[in-house]
Amino acid sequence: MQDNATEVTAAGIARLAGVGRAAVSNWRRRHADFPRPVGGTETSPAFALAEVEEWLRRHRKLAEVPLKERVWQQLAGHPDGPVTALVHAGCALLLIHERPPVWLDISSGTDERLAALLPTALDEVLTPRVPGTARPGLTDRSRVNGQPSVNTPPAATPANPATPATPATPATPATPALAIPTASRLLPSVPLLRGVAELAADRGARPTFEFLLGRHLDANPRQYTLTPPDLAGLMAALAGTPATVLDPSCGTGALLRAVADRPDRRLHAQDSSPELAALTALRLALHTRAPVHAAAGDTLRADAYPGLRADAVLCHPPFNERNWGHDDLAYDPRWEYGFPARTESELAWVQHALARLRDGGTAVLLMPPAVASRRSGRRIRADLLRRGALRAVVALPAGAAPPYSVPLHLWVLRRPDRTHAQPELLLVDAGRFTAEGRGGPDWPGVRETVLDAWGAFDRDGGVEERPGVARSVPVIELLDDDVDLTPARRLPPPADTDGAGRLADVRARLDETLRLTAELAPPPAEPVPSAASGRLPLTTVGELARAGALVMRTGGHGGRARVPVLTDHDVLAGTAPSGTLPESEEEPVLTEPGDVVLPVLGGGAVARVVDEATAGAVLGRNLVLLRPDPAALDAWFLAGFLRGTANHRQASSYASTATRLDVRRLQLPRLAPDEQRRYGERFRALDAFERALREAGRLGEQLVRGMYDGLTDGTIAPD
């Protein structure tokens, strides 16, 4: 076995075989020929993927590892790490996309030949598509002057000559995002690249990269702060159809990917993370024909584009940074509107965006709401208003972007090209489009409201006032001691001429729901006589699956765009599908009426039977779907017994901070179909009672909240 063979964890083996992790542990104990660990730790060992795949075939645990799973496991277990593997895969996919005959020619020989010829082929593709791509050496001259050579881009010239002569922390100069890898770096990736090419032949190069990138981001949710596609689309729409666009904190490239296409478009991206800068460059190169200029480096300390004057800047900057360069950049010429305080990193990003715009260019930035009102930033906010640079502040609904519990703001800025006689600021509050649960806001409503208001304001210099929604405010009204730009504090309250009538309707619905709840309440429990309380013969979900009485499926990691996703939160709360998954060509698992869905994390004893309203949704992550054969199993009987607390306790495993359910170990009694249906009807009645209780609680909260609001704003009399 090669020392650099691709490794896979027990969780990866379970996914390959379509079983739980407990089954993998059982195989290790029972089968002496199970592959030995080749890495990892004692508690989390890693195994050679090739050995595992051969063992699974030999023991008929699966006929064949699916291609997409084999490619993913090769990428995730790459000896140089998944990001390096993803970059190599993206380079190969760009070559396949641009020049498929070249790929077919160089991949027809040995692995060594492919690795040797690939750098030159990549140079011919990457250099025109991603200008500035570093060419550290296309051959393997591994030592220069007796020292090892490093396959990294050359350093760029420092971007900020106005930085103090003796900075506290010297900045690392920005570097090109991509460097053409050498043959020796590519050789361990060749098996992965051949698998990626095979996958691209079926799916296409662009969807293949989106699938692999989505899986990587999904597997590392805490490492990346993503910009949701709907929000990226709104920000790009506010910027119009610019030719030259810059994202100085590009992340995974969502904002630049959302920009409207035009023949002369040019994209510029920079990120402090070299990994994200490289992935963004490849993602955009696969997505568009426009030249993609991408750099890695700290934008505020080492700007890669000091001479750029873009038509638009789109930015989702890091929030609440203290170490943004306050001590190093005191004399930087970008601070036209005032030197930002150490706690005002976001206002540094605002001024950087304005400095990189041409006169009349537009910048759209995602901001935390505190930036609109913090006292430490009031002088800069005031100057932005006076000079007409800040044109609009939009309050988004909670759930628009991480952190999802905070209603973030959008700032729309324009580099002044003339003096406004009577400048005004557009304020928009889209908070009313917040959706219940975790499904995110009503994006069509948000988009229509925001774009309609901005279009009228940008065209006419003002907008017709909509109480609680939109208003154009004269700047002079905002220049007080606080310069508070929070839309909710400057907009008139929404007109509510029938608040009492709405509450009367809520009260009527609550009365009806309480009546229904009382009717659905289960009758007093009758104890089972001791003579008849013998233990029933039991079976498990795993045994039923092997016997063909049910089919077991697990939630996916991607799916088609704009398909409702049933999440674990939806199952726990009993709500409609509300989630989203990364866009990919992965075949989703769709629910059908009569399916039983269970969450596998969290320890809650919950099982939900899919009805007509929920059918057709995509099964989300951390969910398992059981599809019973109606001739053998009643769905409500199955769901009811799977909800037993003792049943969950014996089938769960416990980590330090989480509980995971092994669905295959859940038990239920062996009963005849008629007896199953008798239990099933009782479980169905309990479910209806539970739903009625939830609805009564929701209506009660709505009534209480409405009464408080009406009494305090004067629309409801206290008598």
Side-chain angles (χ1 to χ4, degrees), residues 225-236 238 246-249 254-255 313-320 345-350 353 363-372 374 390 392-404 406-413 441 443 446:
T225 300
L226 306 181
T227 306
D230 289 305
L231 175 58
L234 174 61
M235 294 175 67
L238 288 168
L246 166 68
D247 185 347
S249 181
L255 291 174
V313 174
L314 300 175
C315 187
H316 177 174
F319 297 161
N320 303 316
S345 63
E346 296 86 3
L347 292 180
W349 285 97
V350 164
V364 184
L365 284 84
L366 184 67
M367 308 289 276
V371 183
R374 279 194 299 242
L390 181 57
V393 175
V394 177
L396 296 171
Y404 291 107
V406 178
L408 301 174
H409 288 180
L410 288 178
W411 282 26
V412 183
L413 303 109
W443 278 112
V446 173

Side-chain angles (χ1 to χ4, degrees), residues 75 81-94 122 126 177-181 186 189 192-193 209 212-213 274-280 282:
L75 188 147
V83 174
T84 296
L86 194 53
V87 170
H88 290 178
C91 290
L93 287 168
L94 186 60
L122 291 178
L126 283 172
L178 282 175
I180 297 172
L186 285 168
S189 300
L192 166 67
L193 301 185
F209 187 74
L212 295 173
L213 177 62
E275 297 178 355
L276 290 178
L279 294 177
T280 292
L282 291 167

Side-chain angles (χ1 to χ4, degrees), residues 201-283:
D202 178 51
R203 296 179 170 223
R206 184 186 303 165
T208 296
F209 187 74
E210 289 295 323
F211 161 70
L212 295 173
L213 177 62
R215 283 286 289 269
H216 174 68
L217 297 176
D218 192 54
N220 302 275
R222 296 184 180 181
Q223 294 184 23
Y224 307 102
T225 300
L226 306 181
T227 306
D230 289 305
L231 175 58
L234 174 61
M235 294 175 67
L238 288 168
T241 56
T244 304
V245 191
L246 166 68
D247 185 347
S249 181
C250 63
T252 58
L255 291 174
L256 293 177
R257 191 168 176 260
V259 175
D261 199 6
R262 54 182 288 178
D264 58 343
R265 185 175 61 172
R266 297 182 303 279
L267 304 178
H268 294 76
Q270 183 171 350
D271 199 275
S272 59
S273 167
E275 297 178 355
L276 290 178
L279 294 177
T280 292
L282 291 167
R283 188 183 195 190

